[in-house]
Amino acid sequence: MDRHELMERALEARKNAYCPYSNFAVGAALLCKDGTVYTGCNIEVAALTGSCAERTAIFQAVAEGRRQFSAIAVAGAPKDQEPDSLCAPCGVCRQVMREFCGPDFEIILTDGQELTAITLAGLLPMAFGPDNLEGGG
Ligand code: ZN
């Protein structure tokens, strides 16, 4: 699966976003090293918490026994618009990626025209991770 195909999956997942409070819809598609793809969307609740699209996809994959990931595509924009600027993962999602992914894990973003890819090492430099603690990873 190439970057464009993965982004198409993210855009499709974005249609399921439940975001009545922010009205900002995000979709993500996570590519596992075995080729499996998990998708996610942001899900908000009235207590003003919830999950980002990236974490929805990663947690679903982990819950189904997968922990080896290659890349994630992420697309976000106001609910009634198509993405036209990069939607970078939030700090919490970056840390969750750091838990399960190596420095070469690729984050793929779209501005609606072109794809931009950055490694996790670039997105979260000098990260604290499971290797900093015994028993992690
Ligand atoms: Zn996030």
Side-chain angles (χ1 to χ4, degrees):
M1 171 161 295
D2 70 18
R3 290 173 176 173
H4 289 276
E5 290 172 320
L6 198 62
M7 183 57 73
E8 284 304 313
R9 296 288 301 273
L11 290 165
E12 191 66 27
R14 182 174 174 264
K15 295 175 183 173
N16 294 325
Y18 179 74
C19 52
Y21 307 102
S22 72
N23 284 310
F24 194 87
V26 184
L30 175 69
L31 178 63
C32 302
K33 288 188 176 175
D34 68 3
T36 308
V37 174
Y38 286 86
T39 59
C41 60
N42 55 327
I43 303 166
E44 301 170 354
V45 297
L48 298 182
T49 182
S51 180
C52 298
E54 301 94 312
R55 274 179 287 150
T56 302
I58 292 168
F59 289 164
Q60 184 181 354
V62 172
E64 294 191 13
R66 289 183 171 80
R67 295 182 185 171
Q68 303 289 318
F69 309 123
S70 304
I72 192 168
V74 184
K79 193 175 181 178
D80 57 351
Q81 297 175 26
E82 294 302 313
D84 63 1
S85 62
L86 304 182
C87 179
C90 78
V92 177
C93 288
R94 293 177 196 208
Q95 193 66 47
V96 169
M97 290 173 191
R98 178 64 185 81
E99 186 68 27
F100 297 105
C101 308
D104 295 332
F105 178 73
E106 192 174 63
I107 296 93
I108 302 160
L109 308 173
T110 184
D111 63 4
Q113 303 292 323
E114 296 182 357
L115 301 183
T116 296
I118 185 171
T119 64
L120 182 58
L123 195 67
L124 189 65
M126 295 181 68
F128 187 88
D131 47 318
N132 293 109
L133 299 173
E134 287 186 34

